[in-house]
Amino acid sequence: MLNKWSVTLLAAMLVLAGCKSEQKPVEEIRPVRTMVVGGALPAAAEVYSGEVKAQHEVPLGFRIPGKIISRAVSVGDTVKKGQVLAQLDAGDVALNATAARAALSSAQAQLAQAKLDYQRSQDLHAQNFVSQAEVDKRQTALISAQKLTEQAKAQVDLANNQASYTQLTADGDGVITQTLAEPGAVVAAGQSVLMLAKAGQYEAVIDVPENRVQAWQPGQKVAVQLWADANRELVGTVSEVAPAADSKTRTFRVKVALPEKNAAALGMTIQVSQVFASKEIPNEISVPMSAVFGKEQMMRVWLVDDKNTVHSQAITVLGHQGQQVRIQGIPAKSIVVTAGVHLLREGQKIKVLPSTQGAQQ
């Protein structure tokens, strides 16, 4: 009888043990901090005034000195590469070319005579009529005549080049923005005569005070408004921040590339701000550096879904601004983990700690 109850008790214990082993382990819920990115923007921001300039503006001048006899363009004219813009008096240049050609003819005649003298001295030396010293003398004269001829040829080439330098031509397509010399003026070699804004991308140029320049970084998206059309807002990209302040104004020159070739005309007044009044910048968001993990070219962030589960998302890092990282690759108003990112795994449940940061751009 005792054995029967013992067997029954043992069977019950085995059944209970089997049920217990089939229970799933409790999933760990990791506490993290999060923030909502790409939310509302502040209502006001600092605005800087400036003007529209060509990204590449170059001074044009003659390569030789002379007197300007004509100028074919004025401010605002559109020019093509190779187009003649101004002309120098070519009288002196023509005389120099004539003199160079005459010097070449003389040098060539002397070279021909030197060759004959050298050949004659060799023949006479073979008949013992002249010494070896005389042959060497004629050979030296021949070499000298050859070098003088080469020099004369170079002078002719130089004179021909200078003849072409009497015409000032455009070295690229663009617009004349300034005239610095008039017909009748005598200019030096290299003196600026015209300013050419080369065709291509335009940029907005502003000056930022030294206590604000740290907020401006190359690659950053900013809002650009034209004074002539205040209702139109352009998305510009900071292309250059001066490494040193202007010695007089103590401000830093900041250049902002405009998105469209014909977005504005040269010289237009613009206003630049880091806050967009009418829209947010698509696909570009700032997050704390602590939210980003991974290796170069493989950076990621953790996104939180509506079930408090995390999923890693690949991103593109555009740049850094203080303790913030500007990224692309996640939609606006996403919930991003900002603390504890290195302790998470794909699909893990999380618990959001208090003091979650508010929406940021």
Side-chain angles (χ1 to χ4, degrees), residues 273-313:
S273 171
Q274 292 177 311
V275 170
F276 287 76
S278 61
K279 59 183 178 181
E280 300 176 26
I281 305 173
N283 300 324
E284 179 172 333
I285 291 173
S286 292
V287 297
M289 294 181 65
S290 60
V292 179
F293 65 95
K295 299 180 180 180
E296 292 185 10
Q297 310 301 327
M298 297 179 62
M299 305 302 290
R300 309 181 76 87
V301 295
W302 290 109
L303 300 184
V304 182
D305 62 18
D306 54 359
K307 297 180 180 179
N308 275 2
T309 302
V310 294
H311 305 279
S312 68
Q313 175 66 44

Side-chain angles (χ1 to χ4, degrees), residues 72-305:
V73 294
S74 299
V75 174
D77 288 350
T78 300
V79 299
K80 297 293 184 180
K81 183 177 181 179
Q83 180 178 339
V84 177
L85 308 179
Q87 177 79 43
L88 287 180
D89 183 0
D92 292 342
V93 176
L95 292 176
N96 289 337
T98 300
R101 287 191 291 269
L104 176 60
S105 298
S106 176
Q108 289 173 336
Q110 293 179 18
L111 176 60
Q113 183 61 47
K115 288 180 178 179
L116 291 175
D117 291 344
Y118 176 62
Q119 184 62 46
R120 187 179 297 112
S121 66
Q122 285 184 315
D123 294 341
L124 293 174
H125 177 65
Q127 301 175 26
N128 293 324
F129 288 120
V130 297
S131 64
Q132 181 62 41
E134 182 65 21
V135 176
D136 294 341
K137 181 180 178 181
R138 297 301 178 183
Q139 185 179 22
T140 301
L142 174 60
I143 295 174
S144 178
Q146 290 173 336
K147 297 302 180 182
L148 288 174
T149 302
E150 293 176 2
Q151 181 180 2
K153 288 181 178 179
Q155 289 295 327
V156 170
D157 292 339
L158 178 60
N160 291 334
N161 288 341
Q162 289 183 335
S164 66
Y165 296 159
T166 59
Q167 289 185 333
L168 180 61
T169 58
D171 61 352
D173 298 347
V175 178
I176 301 299
T177 59
Q178 195 174 0
T179 58
L180 304 173
E182 299 295 331
V186 177
V187 295
Q191 180 179 338
S192 298
V193 175
L194 300 167
M195 291 294 293
L196 174 66
K198 289 192 173 182
Q201 193 171 36
Y202 290 170
E203 59 188 9
V205 179
I206 60 174
D207 294 310
V208 178
E210 56 185 293
N211 63 335
R212 294 289 186 268
V213 71
Q214 293 296 332
W216 297 79
Q217 301 293 330
Q220 179 182 1
K221 301 294 184 180
V222 294
V224 180
Q225 285 187 328
L226 303 177
W227 186 75
D229 187 2
N231 295 324
R232 184 184 181 192
E233 187 177 65
L234 304 174
V235 180
T237 305
V238 177
S239 59
E240 179 182 325
V241 179
D246 183 89
S247 59
K248 296 180 180 179
T249 64
R250 306 310 304 167
T251 57
F252 288 77
R253 177 61 55 93
V254 175
K255 297 180 179 180
V256 178
L258 299 180
E260 306 168 19
K261 183 177 180 180
N262 299 319
L266 290 174
M268 274 190 168
T269 302
I270 49 86
Q271 292 183 324
V272 181
S273 171
Q274 292 177 311
V275 170
F276 287 76
S278 61
K279 59 183 178 181
E280 300 176 26
I281 305 173
N283 300 324
E284 179 172 333
I285 291 173
S286 292
V287 297
M289 294 181 65
S290 60
V292 179
F293 65 95
K295 299 180 180 180
E296 292 185 10
Q297 310 301 327
M298 297 179 62
M299 305 302 290
R300 309 181 76 87
V301 295
W302 290 109
L303 300 184
V304 182
D305 62 18

